[in-house]
Amino acid sequence: MKINLGCGRDYLEGYVNCDINKRYKADLYFDMESEIWPFKDNSVSYIKAWHVLEHLSTGYLHVWKEMYRICKNKAKILLAFPHHLHDNYFSDPTHKTPIS
């Protein structure tokens, strides 16, 4: 199984698209920072989280624990986020966690 975490407007065919915001098209809606994710242990082979992690705050560690729990052995996780010192990071007030 492949999941697109925090899909926003980027709905991808062949993925389970997940978001917290119901104004976006997604397959599952949940709060990734505080809820147990609706996936079985060792069931996911690929996670795409494109410009998601920098928007997290107090549940940042919970997200990493859940990714570890649901991923199969040798699963791939594709992450993208702005550099923590770049203007794009500071210009977005929804960025909460700098990642270096």
Side-chain angles (χ1 to χ4, degrees), residues 7 13 21 41-42 45-46 52 56 62-63 70 77 81-82 86 88 92:
C7 65
E13 294 298 325
N21 193 334
D41 295 359
N42 305 308
S45 58
Y46 189 87
V52 174
L56 305 178
H62 174 74
V63 168
I70 67 172
I77 301 174
F81 37 84
H86 193 277
N88 287 349
D92 186 339

Side-chain angles (χ1 to χ4, degrees), residues 28-76:
L28 293 172
Y29 297 95
F30 62 95
D31 183 348
M32 73 176 90
E33 287 192 85
S34 63
E35 296 178 34
I36 300 300
W37 296 5
F39 301 100
K40 293 180 181 177
D41 295 359
N42 305 308
S43 63
V44 174
S45 58
Y46 189 87
I47 295 176
K48 176 186 177 277
W50 202 259
H51 290 276
V52 174
L53 298 182
E54 70 272 16
H55 297 277
L56 305 178
S57 59
T58 58
Y60 188 77
L61 184 58
H62 174 74
V63 168
W64 282 104
K65 288 179 180 179
E66 283 298 287
M67 284 196 286
Y68 181 81
R69 179 186 67 79
I70 67 172
C71 280
K72 295 178 179 181
N73 187 29
K74 298 188 180 183
K76 297 194 184 319

Side-chain angles (χ1 to χ4, degrees), residues 1-39:
M1 175 186 333
K2 299 188 303 185
I3 63 174
N4 181 15
L5 199 56
C7 65
R9 290 182 221 115
D10 188 26
Y11 187 92
L12 300 175
E13 294 298 325
Y15 287 74
V16 177
N17 295 275
C18 308
D19 210 294
I20 191 173
N21 193 334
K22 292 187 178 176
R23 71 181 163 153
Y24 297 119
K25 178 183 177 184
D27 303 306
L28 293 172
Y29 297 95
F30 62 95
D31 183 348
M32 73 176 90
E33 287 192 85
S34 63
E35 296 178 34
I36 300 300
W37 296 5
F39 301 100

